[in-house]
């Protein structure tokens, strides 16, 4: 399942709070858009990201990096994610 997690990218804080869970990446993206609008921030400012959870979990729980990955197994990864924006 896809999830929206709160992630400040601080190595000293390995647990990431699950904000919401979703059956598809599209619904998770809509939830992220709604969060950005509510906070009045850009995606990189709202400390949230979409991940694929390896096991079922409830919103509000904490997960570590071993419990999720950026992409679902077999999911088509967009071309821009394979190549950096810089030289």
């Amino acid at each position: 399942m896809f999830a929206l997690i709160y992630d400040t990218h601080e190595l000293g804080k390995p647990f990431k709070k699950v904000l919401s869970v979703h059956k598809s990446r599209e619904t998770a993206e809509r939830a992220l858009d709604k969060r950005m609008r509510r906070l009045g921030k850009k995606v990189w400012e709202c400390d949230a990201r979409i991940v694929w959870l390896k096991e079922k979990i409830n919103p509000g729980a904490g997960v570590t990096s071993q419990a999720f990955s950026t992409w679902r197994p077999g999911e088509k990864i967009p071309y821009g994610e394979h190549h950096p924006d810089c030289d």
Side-chain angles (χ1 to χ4, degrees):
M1 85 180 62
F2 290 96
L4 186 61
I5 62 169
Y6 182 74
D7 188 3
T8 57
H9 302 287
E10 295 177 59
L11 296 176
K13 296 181 180 178
F15 282 93
K16 314 301 180 191
K17 182 179 178 183
V18 176
L19 300 172
S20 59
V21 293
H22 307 273
K23 292 183 180 181
S24 71
R25 184 170 290 275
E26 291 78 24
T27 57
E29 287 173 355
R30 285 197 298 268
L32 179 57
D33 287 339
K34 185 177 178 181
R35 177 179 172 80
M36 290 184 323
R37 283 193 310 272
R38 188 179 77 243
L39 296 174
K41 296 183 177 184
K42 302 289 185 195
V43 69
W44 58 87
E45 297 173 321
C46 68
D47 295 324
R49 66 181 175 131
I50 298 169
V51 296
W52 170 256
L53 292 174
K54 297 175 183 174
E55 296 182 14
K56 190 173 182 175
I57 197 161
N58 293 322
V63 293
T64 62
S65 61
Q66 291 82 21
F68 62 84
S69 61
T70 302
W71 302 99
R72 181 182 66 187
E75 183 177 16
K76 183 178 178 184
I77 301 171
Y79 177 80
E81 296 293 325
H82 286 288
H83 305 284
D85 292 338
C86 60
D87 293 333

